[in-house]
Structures are given as C-alpha cells and as structure tokens.
Amino acid sequence: MDFHAALDADYARLVEVSSGSLDRPVPTCPGWTVADLDRHVAEVYLHKVACIREGVEPADWPPPQLAAEEPLALLRRAYRELTGELAARADDEPSGNWYAPDPTVGFWRRRMAQETVIHRIDAELAAGTPSVDVPDDLALDGIDEVLRIFLEYGAATWPEYFVDGLAEGGGRSVAVATGGRRWLVAIGPDVLTVTEGDAPAAAELTGSPDALLRWLWRRADDTTVTVTGDPTTVTTLRSLLHAATQ
C-alpha cells in the first residue's frame, strides 16, 4: 500500500474542494465550516510532525500562534512539513504515539493517509461536489484500521466510553464483508474483539470497500450498505463507532 501516494492525492483533492468553500458548513462535522476543517487537518499534521521530531506527544496542542494563520495557508505549510518529515524517516523509527502497540513513524504514515481521505470526503460533502471513490486498497486498509485500532484497541484502553454499548451487544457479532475480506466484531458483554473469518454472526454488513469505509466512519447512512440479520446489533455497532471515532 503506497500511503504517500494516497495522502498526496487526497490532500490535493481537499485543497481543491476547499478553495471557494471555506464558509460552507460541514454536515459530517457539526458546528464546523470548511475553514475549521482545514485548520483541524493542518493542526493534526503539525501534531504528528512534533510527535516524530520530539519522540513524544506534545503536552499542549495546538499552539496558540497557529490561530493567526489563514486556514488554507496553514494547511499547505503543515502538509509540506509533514511530508518532508515522513520522507526523511524509516517506518520503524520511533515516534510519540497514543497507540502503544506501534509507536513508530510507519503508524503515522498510515494514519495520516486515512485521516486525510476521510476529511476530503467531509470537504466534498460540504461543497456539494461529487465525491471521488476511495480506491479499494486504501478503503480495505481503512476498514481494518478503524475496526482494530479505533474500535478494538479503543474499547480495551478507554473502556469507560464503551461500557453501555458493550453491555447492549451481549456477546453478539457483526460481520463486515467486502473485497474478499470478512471482519467479525464481537460486542461485549465486557470486551470487544475483532477477528477475520467465516464464523456466524448475528448481523452482516456488505457493500463496496468505499461504501463500508464511509459507513464505519459515519460519513454515510444505512442506505449505502446492505444489512442482513439483527438490526439492533448493527445499531449497537454504530453507537460504539461514534464513541471510537468522535
């Protein structure tokens, strides 16, 4: 997976769509305009630059001086710094990180590609312009990331945000199947696990990799995927994803 190529393409699309749309509200990020979205992405990029350079996550973020920069100019500067830092580093170099199993530059290379594709979708929705499909390889990787890192790891590391959803799940599973892969999300009652395979599930979500990535990140509704089986378990998964990705 060429994460740099994906990052470059989606960053370019984000800038393209943002230009002339800075005052538009972002429907998938309530309370934000496109200017706020661009500023957020820029601050995320610069935060990762600091993580890589300093080896730890910065204690206070964002620095107040960033507020003085115009959003698109800040985004362009942040992208230059991020890509320059990533180009100069090997994947296995250490970096400050909230994900304890993989505190490396490679984690951020992947994460920033996935961060950017979701936010360029946000910008497209705000601008009312047709959305570019997410390539299958990037979408499949993004599905794996959101299920294993944001949902499974998040529920294990910060369980206080997931208690109610896990209890509602009662140990039932939701399968997410696309592109020749099938993830099984077993929900509760006390833990959440993600595996791959053909085991039975209480409900199954199917669709294109692009559609399922958008659904999992709450950038699309149930009409964009096919749901079979127990709808309440799917609703529980949706609620847990909200806790994991907000």
Side-chain angles (χ1 to χ4, degrees):
M1 175 74 227
D2 189 342
F3 290 119
H4 179 76
L7 174 60
D8 190 58
D10 286 309
Y11 162 77
R13 177 65 173 163
L14 173 60
V15 171
E16 175 191 6
V17 174
S18 295
S19 301
S21 301
L22 291 176
D23 293 334
R24 288 177 176 254
V26 182
T28 41
C29 302
W32 281 9
T33 63
V34 173
D36 297 322
L37 178 71
D38 288 350
R39 184 173 297 281
H40 166 76
V41 175
E43 290 171 352
V44 168
Y45 287 169
L46 292 172
H47 180 268
K48 304 324 168 230
V49 170
C51 286
I52 293 168
R53 289 176 179 169
E54 298 166 17
V56 295
E57 290 193 273
D60 296 309
W61 198 264
Q65 61 267 29
L66 297 185
E69 294 188 56
E70 187 272 330
L72 268 176
L74 178 63
L75 178 60
R76 291 187 175 100
R77 177 174 74 81
Y79 186 74
R80 288 193 302 271
E81 291 195 31
L82 174 68
T83 52
E85 202 65 39
L86 292 175
R89 307 279 184 164
D91 278 353
D92 61 357
E93 289 189 49
S95 173
N97 198 326
W98 51 263
Y99 183 62
D102 187 16
T104 66
V105 171
F107 175 88
W108 289 131
R109 198 183 307 278
R110 177 197 199 188
R111 177 84 283 282
M112 290 303 93
Q114 295 295 345
E115 176 88 4
T116 305
V117 71
I118 295 301
H119 286 318
R120 70 90 166 152
I121 290 170
D122 290 330
E124 289 169 332
L125 291 169
T129 190
S131 185
V132 175
D133 286 347
V134 181
D136 284 357
D137 58 349
L138 184 64
L140 289 168
D141 181 78
I143 292 167
D144 190 76
E145 185 203 43
V146 71
L147 292 178
R148 294 185 185 277
I149 295 178
F150 282 86
L151 192 56
E152 183 179 36
Y153 179 78
T157 307
W158 301 283
E160 62 273 20
Y161 297 107
F162 300 87
V163 171
D164 292 342
L166 293 180
E168 291 171 8
R172 294 182 297 275
S173 295
V174 179
V176 178
T178 185
R181 298 181 68 176
R182 186 174 185 267
W183 293 264
L184 286 153
V185 184
I187 304 171
D190 301 310
V191 297
L192 183 149
T193 61
V194 178
T195 57
E196 287 193 60
D198 299 324
E204 183 156 316
L205 288 159
T206 57
S208 69
D210 171 86
L212 283 169
L213 178 69
R214 292 172 191 251
W215 188 93
L216 291 167
W217 274 100
R218 298 176 297 111
R219 265 59 182 187
D221 60 26
D222 291 350
T223 64
T224 63
V225 298
T226 299
V227 179
T228 55
D230 177 20
T232 62
T233 308
V234 175
T235 300
T236 299
L237 174 61
R238 186 79 156 180
S239 175
L240 288 165
L241 286 163
H242 179 74
T245 61
Q246 60 184 338

